[in-house]
Amino acid sequence: MSQLCLARLPYRRGNDSRAEGCTMTRSLSSPCVRHRVSTPNLRLLIGTVLSLLLVASCGLDRPAGGAGPRIVSVDDSVIGAALHQFDFSGGWTWSQGAGKFQQGDHYSGTTGDQYSIKFSGGRVALFGARAPWHGIAKVRLDGEERPDIDLYAPTRADQVELLSVHGLGGGTHELTVTVSGQKNPLSEDYIVTVDRIDVEGPISTATTGPSPSQGPSPSPTPGSEPTGQPADGIVRAAGTSLKLNGQTYRFTGVNAYELATYWDVNAGCGGQVNDLDAFFGSLRPNSMVRTWAFQDLATNKHTGKRDWTGIDRVVKAAERHGQRLILTIGNHWADCDQPKKGKEWYEDGYRAVQPGQPTSYWDYLREVVERYRSSPALGMWELLNEPEIACGSTPVLREFFDVAGGELKRLDPVHLLGSGVIGGTQCGLRDQDYVTVHQSPAIDVLSFHDYNRDDEALSSEVALRLQQMAKLGKPLVVGEAGIKAGSDAGCLSTARRAAKFEAKMTKQFSGGVSGFLVWNWIPGTEGCDYGISAGDPTLATIRDFNLGSGEVGAPPPTSAPSPTASATASPVSRAGPPMGFNHYNHFGNTINEGIVREIVDAMVRNGMREAGYVYVNIDDSWQGERDANGNIRTNSQFPSGIAALADYVHKRGMKLGIYTTPTAKTCAGRTGSEGHEKQDVQAFANWGVDYIKLDWCGADYSPDGAAAIARKWKEAIAASGRPMVLSINAGGTLHVPPWASEIVNLWRTGDDICSSWYNQTRDPDPASSCRGKQPAGIRDYLFNNTAGNAPFVGPGHWADPDMLEVGNKGLSFEEAKTHFSMWAMWSAPLLAGNDPRQMTGSDDASRILLNTEVIAVDQDPLSVMATKVRDDGGLQIWRKPLAGGGQAVALVNTRDEATTMTLSWRDLGWTSVSAVRDLWRHADLAPGGTGYTGSVPAHGTVMLRVAGS
């Protein structure tokens, strides 16, 4: 006979990733004897080790002298890959590779729901979740009642082992779990969440749904958590995407904080909107409107008592027009916003009644959630508008989200909770602090408020939040995007603002955001302001913007582009490192302005510009002498001057780059910038230069000295009034990236490149010009320290393994493909170094340089540098996380003969995948099995884009 012993242990908080617990064993002479044990490290998705309730089992009939106590704990390897193991289709599936039987992300049910599984074997284990809003489940095994499973915990913890039974006899067994009608004393509802069942033997049947005595489950109501992605009109999160009625949901919309203003009843905020039907009717269907539901708007200003008239008007109007609301809860405001809270308020002040308020924030939160949680217009909640906290107090803000957010989720486990934070560089929420707060299990949706420079469609801050979105595995919404416009002199026109919003939406939706809300709709505008009123072209822009379809980050269409069609394909997102041309690899110092103009025209004609190659960079060749005032002049190769050339480039929709050094002479002996740094940078700005390449050529290479030089140039660029990319070559050692990544946009990672496969490790190809020189061949880059730059690469700061050699003599077609593939995998700048005038659209250089699918990997907004998964005797596998949750993979054969290579999905942290695309063949591959196996040519690369399952 097999029996079960359950032990609930106190949780503990802290940085220690291992928690001590106890198991219980029975001897012949005493009851359970306690043993101190250490359970495996739990790398929970919430990032910080919070609480874990261990379940321990003991064999009641174990003979004396038998096996010692068995520790029942959570399998850490499962937790680490949990997001990638589950089948999100909502059906039960048998995962042969993992040896587990799983259903969806979770199987969740309400009172009376049950699931049943029949199996053969001697052991069964049930893994689930404990969370603040979960109740109690009743368990039966082979018809025998088992102890109830208490699913309540102060903080959500997934994959906790809830039950484990050993020593079952032969034959078929049945496990049934029913959602109990018995309340947990600390929970208001009766939800059970089951993540996984492990059994030793084969599965015969599995069923889910209401128990036979209960009849059909009711439609979703507050207090129930529906399974799968039903067509019930509720917005849900699925990884980094949102879902509505089972389909990917992206939205545009507006902030309209004053909608609940109703002067006859409440204190109001902003102007009263009399015709709410006209407002909601002007939006596209299924738009999202973010509006205040502060306590002052639910309080009668005459009596001081609760009065929902103002907010009710908004909710009912949204319901009539099929629109959705983000209801932002707050207490009261100053200048139409709740005052910024201090640490004390986030610790416990929110439980106290504020002057002039009927109740505390804590009690009001419960009231407002209970009132509107059943509304079909509800899209998601926010606890506060832009919650911020002082430096060093991030854990306090995280605790607030855990507790207050946990309470909201207990009351309404159906609808999403967004963070509502600004998400910029504010102290307490910058960098890793943003991750810490958003790891709260109560937060479903990340937030960012985009008030960055208007000319940045995808700022470095947004790109960083996209990177953190992928890390956290939660959707990201741009909750506010503001640009001032109006009729005042010097102010942006409303039409230009609409165009800038469209550019932002294009880049940010492409990067993976799920929603974009402009700030702010108001009944009337005046002057130069963020306000957007009826008739503003921005409203038409967000209404008509093409949100696309399908999963965010899905691979490109399956049809292979023709050599000419690729030149006119949709432009690649330029959120990543610079793309363009530099003449030095092909022309050296023989370049002149006539050739540059021809190359610019060729790049427009052959499709390079449309593919993303927009920078035209002049290397060491243009400098003449200085005049009496120290102003640098061009030489005879550029008689018209740089300003005229920049104008020529800009008129064709491209940008101009220039070269100099911090020394008196450049590497080619031309005039350098030593002693004239600010003067030269200001000249570059006046000429219209967009990119500065700063070569070292004997300057100080020490970390402190080189950093000081780079900082001087950065400050000079800032003072010039013109944004310019700053790219440096301060040596290729790993002493450079720690400081360079904080100062410049690009830094070199190694020796100058050469058009050869071998050079440093073996003699170069006779056709190349590399013999007897130091520069690195392509293979050398695959084995040098380039990969060591990965921790320092991100949006706005990239490692530069030098310019491209694609199209120059010395590389075979396969070697050139490997070269281009790895630069894309490394998020490196793609600066063509061939002669674009020779590209016809069907030549090898065109086939490689115009492969927009590979370019898209390079330009991915996360700007993650690929890391090497393994190297088996020169057979290398590299992986690169992408926005939207996918990954790019390169299988590189550095050997001198074709070789079969195998990629396991486990190399990517997944057990299965849902989509695989070959980026060089432009073909979708079957995603089945446990991995990919294929032949890779000598010195060649297979490059895949993979979506996990």
Side-chain angles (χ1 to χ4, degrees), residues 645-656 687-690 722:
L645 188 58
D647 185 61
Y648 188 90
V649 171
H650 292 158
K651 285 181 177 178
R652 284 148 183 82
M654 302 174 76
K655 300 182 179 183
L656 186 75
W687 293 342
V689 169
D690 305 291
R722 182 176 181 83

Side-chain angles (χ1 to χ4, degrees), residues 517-593:
L517 302 177
V518 298
W519 181 270
N520 172 72
W521 189 91
I522 58 177
T525 60
E526 59 182 25
C528 188
D529 193 64
Y530 291 111
I532 298 168
S533 58
D536 193 299
T538 290
L539 296 176
T541 297
I542 62 173
R543 182 185 64 236
D544 300 333
F545 183 79
N546 182 9
L547 290 167
S549 61
E551 293 292 339
V552 174
T558 58
S559 58
S562 66
T564 55
S566 64
T568 58
S570 298
V572 176
S573 169
R574 298 184 180 95
M579 295 175 60
F581 165 82
N582 184 297
H583 65 80
Y584 195 81
N585 286 355
H586 189 86
F587 295 92
N589 292 322
T590 65
I591 196 73
N592 60 58
E593 68 177 45

Side-chain angles (χ1 to χ4, degrees), residues 794-914:
H797 43 96
W798 302 279
D800 177 11
D802 210 357
M803 300 164 289
L804 296 168
E805 291 282 9
V806 175
N808 292 329
K809 292 181 180 180
L811 291 176
S812 70
F813 181 62
E814 292 299 333
E815 290 166 350
K817 282 169 54 181
T818 294
H819 174 22
F820 194 67
S821 297
M822 290 311 302
W823 264 237
M825 292 291 290
W826 288 334
S827 295
L830 300 180
L831 298 175
N834 62 321
D835 186 351
R837 299 173 301 177
Q838 306 303 316
M839 291 172 59
T840 64
S842 59
D843 60 294
D844 286 353
S846 296
R847 293 167 61 194
I848 295 173
L849 293 175
L850 299 180
N851 186 330
T852 55
E853 297 193 60
V854 176
I855 292 172
V857 172
D858 178 75
Q859 295 291 293
D860 185 81
L862 298 187
S863 283
V864 175
M865 186 176 187
T867 53
K868 193 187 301 183
V869 176
R870 65 172 188 263
D871 187 334
D872 300 327
L875 302 180
Q876 299 182 352
I877 295 179
W878 298 74
R879 61 182 289 224
K880 174 180 179 176
L882 302 174
Q887 297 188 58
V889 185
L891 290 78
V892 185
N893 177 13
T894 69
R895 298 179 183 177
D896 296 336
E897 65 282 332
T899 307
T900 297
M901 294 183 66
T902 296
L903 164 72
S904 168
W905 304 140
R906 291 187 180 276
D907 292 332
L908 309 180
W910 297 333
T911 56
S912 61
V913 300
S914 59

Side-chain angles (χ1 to χ4, degrees), residues 265 295 298-307 356-359:
V265 175
Q295 185 169 186
T299 303
N300 189 298
K301 65 183 180 182
H302 305 293
T303 65
K305 298 183 181 299
R306 184 67 66 235
D307 191 324
Q357 299 296 325
T359 62

